[in-house]
Amino acid sequence: MTSTFLHGFATASYQVEGSVDVDGRGSSVWDDLCNREGAIVDGSSGSEATDTYHRYKEDVALIKELGANSHRFSLSWSRIIPLGGADDPVNPLGVQFYNNFIDELIANGIEPMVTLFHWDLPLALQKRYGGWLDKEQATRDFVNYARVCFSHFGDRVKLWITLNEPFCTSILGHSLGVHAPGRSSDRTKSPEGDSATEPWIVGHSLLVAHASAVDLYRREEGEIGISLNGDWCEPWDDSEENIAAAQRAQEFWVSWFADPIYLTGDYPSCMREQLGDRLPTFSKEEKKLVLGSSDFYGMNHYTSNLIKNKSGPAAADDYQGNVEYTTVGPNGNPPALGYQSQCGWLQTAPWGFRKLLVWIYKRYGVPIIVTENGMPVRGEGDLPIEQALNDGPRVDFFKGYLENLELAMKEDGVAVRGYIAWSLLDNFEWAEGYIPRFGVVYVDYTTQKRTPKRSAHFIKQWFEEKQEKEQQ
Ligand code: FCB
């Protein structure tokens, strides 16, 4: 990878491509979840999304127009290997699509940053052996898929991300049951699943699969890492118990995956204490494989929360470190947790970004690439387009977060190698359907017309200034 600061936008296959049954693509667990009654808030699916499968040239032109020098996107495993497995055939048309996409980016001077897995597991693998619940088989198939991708695209792609947010696959997919494959102990959500054990098994498989794919890639010339999501966990007040609770919550979020990869080859002790034998154990070989298996820290960050201790034993399905999350501070004030976005989980707190950057860099000491950061303006989808384009709250969001990024770099000495905003386009926001709009570019879903919002111009200017300063 070049030493140039990377800046650009991110998307993910299922959220933008559409064309789910075109040119031999197989189904993924997300196609399946979208068919489940009530799973997606607006009853929609990614079957059309932003039609990027057909409009990728237009999108690349936009990316260029907005001044990006890199673009993060994910490959659809079931487009490349429709049935997913190591013995299943590769789909040449799927490979062709990504070859075209990559060529188009490169022809426009944009470096591809490619995520192998952004949640859309081939459905056949879920049905065959339970997907990520089966560490051996899932690892074998993921490594084979990675090998196919490295061999077809590796001549032009030099920056890879194995997995996007394994936390979400584990917790949202196998405990809360709101993401594919939609498993949970809650029988109103899912006919099967066990929230007390499955997320930890799945998390372990994901770590081993990630590290095994990295091990394979080490023979190539390029860089490879993982993207982990994390909110900043701020203590509710300065009492000792709440300070300890916030630290524990941070470790359950981030260190679950980051400690094994960057620090110890093992899970944080607070997780072992709370989860006991429900948390899998790394074998000696796994430990060796996992420790050091990422060239950078891919950081997806959106929001912050205030954390209070909970007394008494943790619930069997607790995944947060036995704490309470709140946005309301002591005395009923929501201190600096500001603007409430369209998503209930996301309130603007730019200072939390700086704190988390520092926390991560101190603990893990590896360079960070911010691989996602963005915000859906409240009610944007209900506004006439002229008003939606004037997205002041999103401009404020980026302004605040980018200022804090600069402060973390300049004042706190955090090594940051790139900043990738979420997202290029409004798109299919998983269980929340098309209601939240995260794009800096507005998408009219009836015509698929793309129109940059005010925030796109703001970010473009920041990108240009960053590039100018770099060149000085
Ligand atoms: C992240 C996901 C991404 C997008 C944003 C809003 O957790 O990685 O696909 O949905 O949230």
Side-chain angles (χ1 to χ4, degrees), residues 12 15 72 118-119 164-165 168 229 300 302 345-346 372 422 427-430 438:
Q15 295 181 276
R72 175 174 180 236
H118 199 123
W119 307 348
N164 181 69
E165 304 186 355
C168 293
N229 55 314
N300 290 1
Y302 291 89
W345 54 270
L346 202 170
E372 281 183 30
W422 184 272
N427 59 50
F428 176 71
E429 179 49 29
W430 309 112
F438 272 90

Side-chain angles (χ1 to χ4, degrees), residues 145-442:
Y145 161 59
R147 185 185 54 75
V148 169
C149 296
F150 298 152
S151 71
H152 284 286
F153 314 125
D155 56 334
R156 287 149 296 152
V157 175
K158 301 295 174 196
L159 181 51
W160 295 90
I161 291 166
T162 53
L163 308 176
N164 181 69
E165 304 186 355
F167 175 98
C168 293
T169 310
S170 310
I171 299 297
L172 305 184
H174 292 82
S175 175
L176 302 178
V178 293
H179 277 193
R183 294 175 64 86
S184 174
S185 295
D186 179 348
R187 292 289 163 259
T188 64
K189 293 237 177 72
S190 168
E192 49 189 4
D194 177 9
S195 304
T197 55
E198 289 191 7
W200 316 114
I201 295 170
V202 166
H204 197 78
S205 304
L206 286 162
L207 275 166
V208 172
H210 146 82
S212 307
V214 170
D215 187 48
L216 175 72
Y217 189 69
R218 290 289 190 222
R219 281 150 241 164
E220 312 283 331
E221 225 178 85
E223 288 193 283
I224 189 159
I226 190 167
S227 285
L228 303 177
N229 55 314
D231 295 357
W232 169 248
C233 299
E234 176 77 6
W236 189 72
D237 62 13
D238 56 10
S239 69
E240 234 170 71
E241 59 163 16
N242 289 332
I243 291 174
Q247 173 73 12
R248 215 162 55 237
Q250 201 68 69
E251 293 184 13
F252 266 74
W253 253 120
V254 164
S255 311
W256 174 11
F257 297 100
D259 274 16
I261 295 175
Y262 302 104
L263 195 63
T264 57
D266 202 356
Y267 297 116
S269 52
C270 68
M271 293 185 72
R272 178 67 61 199
E273 274 159 34
Q274 183 177 315
L275 300 166
D277 290 348
R278 287 185 284 138
L279 193 65
T281 311
F282 288 98
S283 69
K284 243 193 177 163
E285 296 73 45
E286 286 175 350
K287 209 170 186 169
K288 227 176 110 200
L289 200 62
V290 171
L291 186 60
S293 62
S294 191
D295 296 327
F296 53 87
Y297 188 109
M299 175 183 182
N300 290 1
H301 176 77
Y302 291 89
T303 192
S304 296
N305 282 286
L306 302 172
I307 307 297
K308 268 187 195 171
N309 186 44
K310 252 193 205 164
S311 46
D317 62 353
D318 176 68
Y319 59 90
Q320 295 175 320
N322 207 21
V323 300
E324 188 190 320
Y325 272 59
T326 174
T327 55
V328 181
N331 315 319
N333 299 320
L337 295 181
Y339 176 83
Q340 182 57 58
S341 78
Q342 179 65 43
C343 292
W345 54 270
L346 202 170
Q347 50 282 328
T348 300
W351 52 269
F353 186 28
R354 178 178 179 184
K355 286 194 176 189
L356 187 57
L357 280 158
V358 171
W359 191 89
I360 289 171
Y361 193 60
K362 259 199 183 152
R363 189 170 172 114
Y364 302 118
V366 279
I368 296 171
I369 301 177
V370 177
T371 44
E372 281 183 30
N373 177 237
M375 194 269 280
V377 175
R378 193 172 60 239
E380 195 173 272
D382 300 326
L383 297 174
I385 177 167
E386 320 71 66
Q387 284 178 40
L389 295 180
N390 188 14
D391 58 341
R394 187 177 289 103
V395 172
D396 292 345
F397 175 95
F398 282 125
K399 197 165 178 288
Y401 278 70
L402 288 168
E403 272 168 15
N404 276 276
L405 178 79
E406 298 274 11
L407 286 171
M409 292 170 75
K410 288 195 194 112
E411 305 286 320
D412 311 323
V414 178
V416 182
R417 288 171 55 180
Y419 176 87
I420 305 293
W422 184 272
S423 176
L424 176 68
L425 304 168
D426 292 334
N427 59 50
F428 176 71
E429 179 49 29
W430 309 112
E432 298 182 76
Y434 293 95
I435 296 170
R437 288 176 171 264
F438 272 90
V440 299
V441 174
Y442 186 90

